């Protein structure tokens, strides 16, 4: 890098001694400097998206745990009557997946319309 810089400085001073090089950068460095703000916005957006996903996951866990706690006696009766553990877990997970699907059905179209405007 320094060899290229010194060679460029000597060549330009040989062409015109009145020229001065203020900042010597490669093309890759110039491109990187042009997009620093966009990269920062992209990283912040990714950070906020991950935070929103984490909050949604914690919320879904809380709602599911609350539903299971309220249905403990029902689950106990089902198990006492011979329901298999897998069918009870499937019943609970089905409810969580339905909540997730409803959330996605509401959230994805509203987010898409925000990009359209």
């Amino acid at each position: 890098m320094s060899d290229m810089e010194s060679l460029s400085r000597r060549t330009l001073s040989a062409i015109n001694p009145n020229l001065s090089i203020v900042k010597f950068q490669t093309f890759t460095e110039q491109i990187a400097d042009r997009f620093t703000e966009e990269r920062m916005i992209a990283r912040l957006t990714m950070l906020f998206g991950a935070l929103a996903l984490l909050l949604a996951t914690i919320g879904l866990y809380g709602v599911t745990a609350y539903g299971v706690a309220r249905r403990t006696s029902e689950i106990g009766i089902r198990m006492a009557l011979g329901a298999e553990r897998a069918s009870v877990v499937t019943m609970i997970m089905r409810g969580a997946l339905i909540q997730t699907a409803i959330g996605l059905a509401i959230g994805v179209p509203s987010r898409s319309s925000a990009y359209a405007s």
Side-chain angles (χ1 to χ4, degrees):
M1 170 69 185
S2 64
D3 294 337
M4 181 61 101
E5 183 177 357
S6 61
L7 178 65
S8 299
R9 286 185 191 274
R10 277 186 274 135
T11 304
L12 287 174
S13 66
I15 294 172
N16 186 351
N18 295 328
L19 290 177
S20 63
I21 298 175
V22 177
K23 188 174 183 183
F24 190 85
Q25 286 184 312
T26 64
F27 185 67
T28 306
E29 292 169 342
Q30 290 177 11
I31 296 298
D33 283 350
R34 297 270 185 214
F35 293 107
T36 53
E37 186 175 333
E38 286 83 358
R39 276 196 199 101
M40 182 186 68
I41 291 171
R43 286 184 182 139
L44 281 174
T45 302
M46 186 174 66
L47 175 71
F48 288 136
L51 182 62
L53 184 62
L54 176 68
L55 288 173
T57 303
I58 291 170
L60 183 61
Y61 171 77
V63 168
T64 303
Y66 178 72
V68 169
R70 292 203 31 121
R71 296 173 68 181
T72 302
S73 59
E74 174 194 344
I75 293 170
I77 292 170
R78 286 178 184 265
M79 296 292 284
L81 291 176
E84 293 181 15
R85 179 184 170 136
S87 65
V88 173
V89 170
T90 303
M91 175 184 68
I92 300 300
M93 293 305 292
R94 185 181 308 123
L97 288 175
I98 288 172
Q99 289 173 352
T100 303
I102 290 171
L104 285 172
I106 292 170
V108 170
S110 66
R111 190 71 190 143
S112 298
S113 65
Y115 285 125
S117 57

